[in-house]
Amino acid sequence: MPSVMLKKNAEGKLVFYVPKKDLEEVAESIEFDNHDKWGGEVLLSDGSKYYFEPLDEQPDFPVTLRAKRLD
Amino acid sequence: MAALTKEETEALIQEVLEIYPEQARKDRAKHLAVNDQSLEKSNKCITSNRKSQPGVMTIRGCAYAGSKGVVWGPIKDMIHISHGPVGCGQYSRAGRRNYYVGTTGVNTFGTMNFTSDFQEKDIVFGGDKKLAKIMHEIEELFPLNKGISIQSECPIGLIGDDIEAVAKKANKEINKPVVPVRCEGFRGVSQSLGHHIANDAIRDWVLENRDGDETFATTPYDVAVIGDYNIGGDAWASRTLLEEMGLRVVAQWSGDGTIAEMEKTPKVKLNLIHCYRSMNYIARHMEEKYKIPWIEYNFFGPTKIAESLRKIAALFDETIQAGAERVIAKYQAEYDAVIAKYKPRLQGKRVMLYVGGLRPRHVIGAYEDLGMEVVGTGYEFGHNDDYDRTIKEMGNATLIYDDVTGYEFEEFVKRIKPDLIGSGIKEKYIFQKMGIPFRQMHSWDYSGPYHGYDGFAIFARDMDMTLNNPCWKQVKVPWKTAESSNVAVAANA
């Protein structure tokens, strides 16, 4: 359950940062990315997958959230 | 000597690794790589930020060095207590040349050493009482101090002293910030964790001090310079450029910086990060909490300076963008003259670097401006994100080494035969005795500044002064002169 810092980059894509692992990756896809629902499975450009508990609204980026590693 | 091909460099690495026992060889192999610009991510080719192997010569520092020496130490109007035995503070005192303005011992304390000087009884009975007493002594002797930080040395963590409680109590009594920093030297694998701990201490004990206080008048052009330690005056040379283009530099972290500047930093519009490795943590925190964006910049060499000034200006309005162009144009004659003077003397020379923080990648541009080529680089305590940023800066088939050992570095140098090496004091005399020109690139070999346009002129002069110094022709061991070899032949006959 790493803490993940999420922010939007200049192109509006989601950037995924895990401080302890020096992992800085762009998110390729997010399962739910709507105004009223956000989260689910996130696929990173290096192929790894993480899971966020879906939220009822889009968080205000940058933000730190807990994620679960899937693989 | 012609540049090595990719295969030759790989063979060189294998050759150097051969001497190690199997286990160590396997581990060290992960830290040495041949650069390949086509890679997007460094973790495909290099491992970093791992514990050094026992028995090899590493030049890494400790967490205390990262916190007291790098992040906290340069804050000039605070008193930084080296809490523990006297040596850690005394042997690192004033070595980093973080210049500052002020009267030392009266209102600034940068080059002084304050320590709780632990004795046996403090280890046995705990040092909290002594620490509390020190706070009051400091208040009496140095009333103009603006705060105190407690930099823990190893024994503090080992005996379990509660420095946080002492700090909270002292903070109420003397009514100034008192910051406990848990930077015991045994934490982590290098000074890098010390930077992180120091950043976290700033986050927890300093940044919030002026939350909700709107008395500080802001402008739309407020910026903070973060991760510039003013070595030899670097931050001043950078600051003038930013101010000339119309920005207002509210805070300098932490070279020539003050605690008041740090407390005001959450009010700025943009954080400018020079040393990414040591200060990115706090920049990310401010981005999340105060929504202050941050960007990395590079003030080594005119090409990178112009690039950085334009990148910074792009985040502001047209007056700043025009300002950036004005600054670049203003200094153009100056840096063109520097290049015209030194490039012919330095053209084609090859450099190997091994330093820490931001320099293994940041200074590459400055060398390239002088027509030189960096053929090997490496970080003492870099992480993967540093190597990600390095791959694109370095040429293909050049060497990259992480936490290189004394033996490996010497062997690489013997084979690659660079014209100049830039590394630290521990390497300096070895390579000078090998007859290779050397610059100590941690504190600019007692020179500087190297940042900004003013710094570039000094950088170019220093490199020329070192490389083209006639003394290198004189470096010859006595038994290798023509005369003595004749004598040896005669003796053998």
Side-chain angles (χ1 to χ4, degrees), chain B residues 67-68 70-75 78 80 149 151 179 181 198 201-202 206:
Chain B
S67 176
K68 160 69 170 43
V70 176
V71 177
W72 281 98
I75 302 168
M78 284 181 86
H80 311 287
S149 80
Q151 307 286 332
V179 184
V181 190
I202 294 172
V206 178

Side-chain angles (χ1 to χ4, degrees), chain B residues 135-407:
Chain B
M135 308 281 179
H136 293 282
E137 257 175 47
I138 286 175
E139 267 310 285
E140 213 174 300
L141 291 170
F142 304 101
L144 293 182
N145 81 74
K146 294 287 186 334
I148 299 170
S149 80
I150 304 160
Q151 307 286 332
S152 313
E153 295 169 9
C154 295
I156 308 308
L158 296 172
I159 64 176
D161 271 10
D162 190 0
I163 58 169
E164 284 83 5
V166 179
K168 276 186 191 143
K169 192 158 167 270
N171 170 257
K172 289 212 184 78
E173 285 164 5
I174 64 178
N175 216 5
K176 287 173 185 173
V178 180
V179 184
V181 190
R182 282 284 178 187
C183 57
E184 288 90 349
F186 54 76
R187 292 184 198 273
V189 300
S190 65
Q191 54 266 62
S192 189
L193 190 69
H195 306 142
H196 200 154
I197 292 168
N199 276 232
D200 289 354
I202 294 172
R203 178 193 69 197
D204 296 340
W205 297 82
V206 178
L207 271 193
E208 302 172 342
N209 288 2
R210 291 191 62 162
D211 280 5
D213 169 6
E214 300 302 325
T215 51
F216 178 65
T218 59
T219 72
Y221 304 124
D222 289 356
V223 295
V225 172
I226 293 190
D228 193 326
Y229 300 104
N230 206 28
I231 292 166
D234 277 343
W236 296 328
S238 309
R239 184 185 180 124
T240 47
L241 296 182
L242 296 169
E243 287 178 342
E244 270 179 62
M245 71 191 258
L247 297 172
R248 186 169 80 147
V249 180
V250 170
Q252 267 173 245
W253 290 47
S254 53
D256 196 31
T258 60
I259 179 89
E261 288 176 28
M262 298 188 114
E263 288 170 345
K264 276 184 285 198
T265 307
K267 322 271 180 211
V268 302
K269 299 292 179 291
L270 178 68
N271 280 325
L272 304 172
I273 311 295
H274 206 246
C275 182
Y276 170 84
R277 181 70 275 132
S278 60
M279 288 278 201
N280 78 82
Y281 317 101
I282 200 75
R284 288 180 197 274
H285 169 73
M286 281 194 263
E287 182 178 39
E288 186 174 348
K289 185 163 179 196
Y290 301 101
K291 308 291 174 209
I292 303 169
W294 56 276
I295 57 165
E296 295 167 54
Y297 71 105
N298 177 357
F299 270 3
F300 286 103
T303 314
K304 291 287 174 190
I305 297 173
E307 215 173 86
S308 296
L309 288 177
R310 291 193 177 115
K311 196 166 89 179
I312 294 165
L315 297 168
F316 291 94
D317 60 18
E318 275 138 31
T319 54
I320 302 293
Q321 283 158 18
E325 295 305 324
R326 195 176 61 237
V327 171
I328 296 165
K330 178 184 163 188
Y331 288 96
Q332 184 163 14
E334 201 177 290
Y335 65 73
D336 280 347
V338 170
I339 292 174
K341 182 174 176 188
Y342 292 106
K343 199 171 178 177
R345 299 171 62 87
L346 297 169
Q347 183 91 43
K349 301 286 187 193
R350 296 153 68 248
V351 189
M352 273 175 87
L353 297 169
Y354 177 55
V355 272
L358 67 143
R359 286 151 291 166
R361 65 172 178 278
H362 267 36
V363 296
I364 295 171
Y367 281 115
E368 282 172 355
D369 284 337
L370 293 170
M372 299 163 83
E373 187 196 352
V374 180
V375 292
T377 197
Y379 295 81
E380 261 176 59
F381 51 85
H383 297 203
N384 271 347
D385 43 1
D386 290 304
Y387 287 99
D388 288 345
R389 290 162 168 77
T390 312
I391 292 173
K392 301 285 168 216
E393 301 277 340
M394 289 288 286
N396 268 324
T398 52
L399 256 182
I400 296 185
Y401 29 83
D402 176 67
D403 185 27
V404 76
T405 68
Y407 159 76

Side-chain angles (χ1 to χ4, degrees), chain A residues 5 7 22 24-25 64, chain B residues 41 284 287-288 291 383:
Chain A
M5 191 178 260
K7 67 175 205 173
D22 297 313
E24 202 173 14
E25 286 287 350
T64 301
Chain B
K41 284 282 162 189
R284 288 180 197 274
E287 182 178 39
E288 186 174 348
K291 308 291 174 209
H383 297 203

